[in-house]
């Protein structure tokens, strides 16, 4: 049996912009829980928004923070199972020594959404690293019985395994788009979500897959992920380019993956009549658009996308097959002691990072 220390290093939230590296007891799993040794935890825009002290918690206007004080953040998690009863292991279909990735949400299984099978919209909406359940920015972490765990190969780098979370989200956005073979698809953004959406959309084999970004290096990555054409809006007139490619009509599908307010009206204007707009982003501010474009002008389908329901097996398969240039996507890894550098790297939109991870072993 693996020897487990009594204490561990963990990043702990105390207040907005006040995260601290602390020594905490290694948690002891209950009879229905698993204990994992965390191997990597990705850092994303929602982590950054929580760190800054967001004004809402999943739509609840009465809450003044995203993360409860005392909670360990981090929801893009992979780790090795080091403890677990027969009951807990059987519940998840795993064994001690397996490497797993865990879905971000721990659904209650009791609310209307869970009872109807819409677990990713669970009403309490307890997520790892935000309020009730400690996340992965630590050396060890509990996986509760209601969590959803998936085995993933130990032959890939930990930061690549942790990318299963953003990739599953990207694939859900692609599913929401209902891409057809004859479609011209435009994806805005070549960050972690946009690149995942690119490979997902490429697997749908549309007529043409176009990716937009202001960073030429990221556009090169998009080509490696399956983009047929990449456009830099600072260098070309993307509206004219898309019109020329579509006989003047506009794109069939637009998937927004930037989180920048300007990308929303951009998409509405790039789409043809009866086109499909999918939103998958974390915005820092409210977005205003001319709703007449959606209704009177074009009768658009506007669809949100949240988390990655039912897409984790597909994301894991893509990662394990080596279909993605993950060394180029997972650009920056930091140890727990450098968690602030990790957060700052994500915040630096002009920097060289694509996907940032915290790897406790570093």
């Amino acid at each position: 049996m693996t020897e487990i220390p009594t204490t561990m290093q963990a990043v702990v939230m105390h207040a907005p912009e006040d995260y601290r590296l602390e020594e905490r007891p290694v948690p002891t799993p209950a009879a229905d829980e698993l204990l994992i040794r965390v191997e990597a935890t990705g850092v994303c825009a929602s982590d950054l928004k929580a760190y800054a002290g967001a004004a809402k918690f999943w739509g609840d206007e009465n809450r003044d923070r995203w993360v409860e004080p005392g909670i360990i953040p981090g929801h893009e998690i992979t780790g090795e199972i080091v403890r677990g009863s027969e009951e807990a292991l059987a519940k998840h279909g795993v064994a001690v020594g397996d490497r797993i990735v865990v879905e971000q949400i721990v659904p209650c299984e009791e609310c209307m959404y869970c009872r109807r099978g819409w677990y990713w919209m669970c009403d309490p909406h307890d997520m790892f690293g935000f309020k009730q359940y400690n996340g992965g920015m630590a050396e060890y972490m509990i996986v509760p019985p209601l969590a959803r765990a998936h085995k993933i190969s130990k032959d890939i780098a930990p930061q690549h395994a942790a990318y299963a979370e953003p990739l599953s989200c990207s694939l859900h956005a692609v599913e929401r788009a209902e891409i057809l073979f004859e479609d011209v698809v435009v994806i805005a953004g070549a960050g972690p979500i946009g690149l995942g959406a690119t490979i997902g959309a490429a697997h749908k084999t549309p007529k043409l897959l176009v990716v937009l970004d202001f960073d030429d290096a990221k556009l090169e990555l998009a080509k490696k992920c399956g983009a047929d054409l990449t456009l830099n809006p600072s260098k070309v007139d993307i509206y004219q380019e898309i019109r020329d490619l579509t006989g003047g009509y506009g794109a069939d599908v637009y998937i927004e993956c930037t989180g920048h307010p300007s990308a929303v009206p951009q998409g509405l204007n790039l789409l043809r009549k009866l086109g499909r707009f999918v939103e998958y982003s974390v915005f820092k501010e409210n977005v205003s658009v001319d709703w007449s474009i959606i209704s009177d002008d074009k009768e658009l389908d506007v669809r949100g996308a949240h988390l990655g329901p039912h897409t984790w097996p597909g994301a894991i398969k893509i990662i394990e097959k080596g279909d993605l240039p993950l060394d180029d996507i997972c650009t920056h890894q930091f140890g727990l002691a450098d968690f602030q550098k990790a957060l700052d790297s994500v915040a630096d939109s002009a920097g060289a990072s694509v996907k940032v991870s915290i790897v406790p072993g570093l």
Side-chain angles (χ1 to χ4, degrees):
M1 185 175 288
T2 303
E3 184 175 347
I4 299 172
T6 57
T7 62
M8 66 178 185
Q9 295 290 299
V11 178
V12 181
M13 187 274 189
H14 287 268
E17 299 187 359
D18 183 8
Y19 286 19
R20 307 173 196 171
L21 185 66
E22 297 179 357
E23 189 165 325
R24 280 198 167 189
V26 172
T28 301
D32 56 358
E33 296 176 334
L34 302 175
L35 178 69
I36 64 170
R37 179 179 60 82
V38 178
E39 295 180 289
T41 299
V43 184
C44 83
S46 61
D47 291 308
L48 195 65
K49 189 172 182 179
Y51 174 76
K56 302 176 186 177
F57 190 95
W58 302 123
D60 186 343
E61 299 284 356
N62 296 318
R63 299 186 67 92
D64 62 357
R65 65 180 71 87
W66 270 30
V67 180
E68 295 286 357
I71 287 289
I72 298 169
H75 62 277
E76 299 181 5
I77 303 154
T78 189
E80 178 188 3
I81 300 171
V82 293
R83 286 285 188 277
S85 67
E86 289 186 12
E87 172 193 352
L89 294 167
K91 166 70 169 60
H92 296 287
V94 294
V96 171
D98 284 347
R99 173 192 274 176
I100 60 171
V101 288
V102 291
E103 297 196 26
Q104 332 76 334
I105 192 167
V106 183
C108 73
E109 304 295 356
E110 295 179 355
C111 69
M112 179 195 74
Y113 300 103
C114 287
R115 292 198 313 270
R116 293 188 180 184
W118 304 326
Y119 74 92
W120 67 101
M121 299 305 297
C122 172
D123 203 40
H125 223 86
D126 289 328
M127 305 262 293
F128 283 112
F130 286 95
K131 48 177 183 174
Q132 180 173 345
Y133 298 104
N134 283 319
M137 293 188 190
E139 293 180 286
Y140 291 88
M141 192 192 89
I142 290 290
V143 178
L146 292 176
R148 296 184 173 221
H150 306 268
K151 286 193 287 187
I152 192 167
S153 173
K154 288 186 171 184
D155 294 333
I156 57 180
Q159 63 269 22
H160 296 176
Y163 185 66
E165 192 276 347
L167 180 56
S168 71
C169 295
S170 302
L171 298 184
H172 179 48
V174 169
E175 283 193 330
R176 293 283 285 158
E178 296 185 1
I179 294 170
L180 304 174
F181 292 124
E182 64 184 358
D183 283 341
V184 173
V185 178
V186 176
I187 294 175
I193 296 294
L195 293 172
T198 300
I199 192 165
H203 276 56
K204 295 288 187 178
T205 322
K207 177 182 177 181
L208 184 67
L209 177 55
V210 183
V211 176
L212 312 177
D213 202 284
F214 288 92
D215 187 323
D216 287 335
K218 290 179 180 177
L219 290 176
E220 286 302 312
L221 262 181
K223 291 178 182 177
K224 293 182 180 180
C225 294
D228 298 311
L229 176 67
T230 60
L231 299 173
N232 185 327
S234 68
K235 297 182 177 180
V236 299
D237 183 342
I238 58 171
Y239 300 98
Q240 188 61 52
E241 293 283 341
I242 297 301
R243 283 195 293 269
D244 290 346
L245 290 166
T246 59
Y249 289 104
D252 302 281
V253 173
Y254 180 89
I255 305 177
E256 201 290 298
C257 302
T258 71
H260 194 281
S262 66
V264 178
Q266 170 181 274
L268 299 179
N269 286 292
L270 284 174
L271 284 168
R272 61 162 169 81
K273 295 178 182 179
L274 303 174
R276 300 184 296 284
F277 184 114
V278 178
E279 181 56 62
Y280 202 121
S281 284
V282 176
F283 289 96
K284 295 180 181 178
E285 54 201 270
N286 293 334
V287 180
S288 297
V289 297
D290 179 359
W291 276 75
S292 295
I293 300 173
I294 299 168
S295 57
D296 188 50
D297 292 354
K298 294 186 177 182
E299 195 176 321
L300 300 176
D301 284 344
V302 179
R303 303 176 181 183
H306 179 56
L307 305 187
H310 311 300
T311 55
W312 284 75
I316 291 167
K317 183 177 181 180
I318 288 171
I319 290 170
E320 291 182 339
K321 285 180 65 180
D323 288 348
L324 281 167
L326 286 171
D327 284 332
D328 297 327
I329 294 173
C330 300
T331 52
H332 289 64
Q333 294 84 50
F334 298 91
L336 282 167
D338 290 324
F339 73 89
Q340 189 64 56
K341 292 181 181 178
L343 290 166
D344 292 344
S345 294
V346 176
D348 182 10
S349 60
S353 68
V354 180
K355 185 67 213 172
V356 174
S357 302
I358 291 176
V359 179
L362 292 180

